[in-house]
Amino acid sequence: MGTADSSPRDAAKPFYGPFRSGLRRFVFFFSVFVVNVIASLWLADLFWHMGMHRAHYAMLVCFFILNGLLVLGSFHAIFGFFDILAGKKRSVRIMELAEGKQGPLAKRFAVVMPVYNEDSVKTCGRIEAIYRSIEATGHLDSFDFFILSDTRDLDLWVLEETAWTNLCRQLGAFGRIYYRRRRTNENRKAGNIGDFVRTWGGGYEGMLVLDADSLMDGGDIVNMARVMEAYPRLGILQTPPKLIRGSSVFTRLQQFAMRLYGPLFIRGLNFWQLGGGSYWGHNALIRVKPFSEFCELPALPGREPFGGRILSHDFVEAALMVSEGWEVWLAWDIAGTYEEAPPTLADHLIRDRRWCQGNLQHLWLIFARKLPLTVRMHLFMGIMAYLGSPLWFFFLLQGTWLAWDREHSHLSQLPFENVVFRLFHINVTEQSLILTGAVFTLLFLPKILAFCGAILVPSIRRSFGGIIPLCVGLVFETLISILLAPCMMASHSLMVLSIVLGKAVGWGNQNRETDGTTWSDAARFHAFPTLLGIVWSVVAIKIGWIFAAWMSPILIGLILCIPVSVFTSRVRLGKALARYKILSTPEELSPPPVVLLADAAKAAVDPALDAGVKNRTGLIAAVVDPYVNSVHVTLLEFSELSQEEQDIAERCLTEGPSALTKNELSDLLYLAPAMLLMHRAVWVRPAEGIHPIWTEAVESYRRRLDPPTA
């Protein structure tokens, strides 16, 4: 438990009162419940009229859950649409606390970027852009920056050090931008942030947590800090990042959909969650002290995948904050917050595998004591984001079994007189069409509302490239989404099954750039959905052409998932669409200043300090290059060199790095005396006394790095 002085309950009046918050939540969830119950009873009545079958009972349970999720999502868009119509002044906005505020910030804040096997030049480029953007506001003195490395690749480790040093030299930012690499990366990203909080967190009121692909506008960051200073009850301030820099068809589809439909869902989410929001792991400002006191995550009972360390730590950290009386708000009106997305469907599903395991671990927590309703709802929605797929799969299987049984049993069905027929005189066909129409309306209503809003507002319409690119983009995104949905269903179902069977996921670095998925990789990755679609199609045709036609959107999506995955991964096709402004977004057509700063960032690159030169890359440069060696050694703590460690260093010199294990090389890189010893040896010893890899590196200094001019 935290100390008394850290409790927010008496620190300030709530920004939005508990009665009004409760009323909003009641209206929202009661509306969702009523619509779902009506639809479920309508289907039950339809089944009763057709004559109840054993499959109907399971289908009703699945429908109640799946339709509830559909109604929940659609009502986020509906409530968000009306919230937008009400106007900005009548909406609940935590950021209004920063309006009219001037003068320097009273507290200090940290900008922290955890990295894991990332491109160090691009990572430092994003730090440079944020640094310059905050500097332009005149409030740079209130911020420090931390690159928190968990990188395991030894060459990338050295590249990170040189990029950071160049960045600090070019910006004059030594003592303001810091770099730290953990020797052991326990508990992944949550452990990385936790290590920062324990080591440096006491010097800061709040920390802005970024991902390696995050960008944020400096003015917005300063305003977020002002809100945290003005409102003592605020624990976490989450922003809704926009996707940028999409080059493949897949990423362009994602960023177009998020940019067009996203504002509706964000406003609808804010309508009911208010101060009981969630934390998405990045692009959020966190108050350090309560985070330190309440958000130390325990290990779950048992082993992975359901036990062990919590992977989706962000939801849990927000839950702990809210349960202790701190408020977590969504700053929906922050415009300058950005991130990038996985470039292909395969990369997206690889990332989803980690999220799936992490979200399913929340089954341990959703019924825990002291958790408010909003927290339980966030955990529930996160869990059902993945459990919904196997439920949908099971629902479709039950429907197929029902159709097969009725087609091949040759028994006549005795219809029962149902309630709907008695009340409205609607036959079974009309009743089925009405339910189908209602479901499809809920499914496509968010797209329709967002499209109408964009078309009717000239500034929004122009920001997406005009009416024709917007219309074409909407149709194209809808068709591809229909094709992708069955593949996602099958893939998520496999993920859930593998987790249930006890297969835990590893911690791999995220692929942010690629030139497309190969046909062989797509065939290997999507073999199950494709085979499933072929077999299911045969069964559907044997049942009857009417049933096959009814199932065709699902079956076509499964069968075509390999070519769809390949073609949506292609950058050249994405660029072709971009030329005609199809799937374009406002940030693509009119790049924000911080994005332009990141595109132009070059401070991390300097030929005088470069660990990426041919024949002396990474680890080799840390031994051979005088400048790289001195930078690396400066960042190490001094230690005495044992005889065993001297022997390992000597073996590295004579037999080359490949003769050592990765752990031995890592240990050497942490030993300042060993690095100095090897550096002197490669320059002083005759070539016959050291491995050729070192002599080639030394020889490379005698050759021109730039091509001579005529």
Side-chain angles (χ1 to χ4, degrees), residues 368-436:
R369 292 179 298 173
K370 291 180 61 179
L371 295 184
L373 170 66
T374 59
V375 168
R376 298 187 196 278
M377 280 306 304
H378 283 298
L379 295 175
F380 172 75
M381 290 189 294
I383 293 167
M384 295 311 299
Y386 295 97
L387 282 187
S389 288
L391 278 175
W392 184 25
F393 184 43
F394 182 70
F395 179 82
L396 294 174
L397 284 180
Q398 290 292 312
T400 304
W401 173 42
L402 175 65
W404 177 277
D405 187 62
R406 291 199 163 171
E407 180 67 26
H408 292 82
S409 63
H410 304 295
L411 296 176
S412 59
Q413 302 297 326
L414 299 177
F416 296 87
E417 185 176 310
N418 58 338
V419 176
V420 170
F421 178 77
R422 290 200 303 269
L423 291 177
F424 306 107
H425 301 289
I426 296 174
N427 61 38
V428 65
T429 302
E430 293 169 335
Q431 189 173 350
S432 300
L433 291 175
I434 290 172
L435 181 61
T436 302

Side-chain angles (χ1 to χ4, degrees), residues 80-125:
F81 180 76
F82 285 111
D83 196 55
I84 292 173
L85 288 181
K88 194 172 184 179
K89 289 185 178 180
R90 304 180 73 178
S91 299
V92 181
R93 277 193 318 126
I94 191 70
M95 290 305 298
E96 73 180 43
L97 294 174
E99 292 178 353
K101 301 284 185 181
Q102 299 294 330
L105 295 171
K107 306 291 180 62
R108 293 189 57 74
F109 295 86
V111 178
V112 300
M113 180 180 281
V115 297
Y116 179 80
N117 291 349
E118 299 284 349
D119 184 321
S120 55
V121 171
K122 293 187 177 181
T123 297
C124 287

Side-chain angles (χ1 to χ4, degrees), residues 94 103 126 169 197 218 264 503 525-526 704:
I94 191 70
R126 296 178 186 112
R169 285 175 51 249
V197 170
L264 293 180
K503 185 178 179 181
F525 207 87
H526 304 296
R704 290 180 65 95

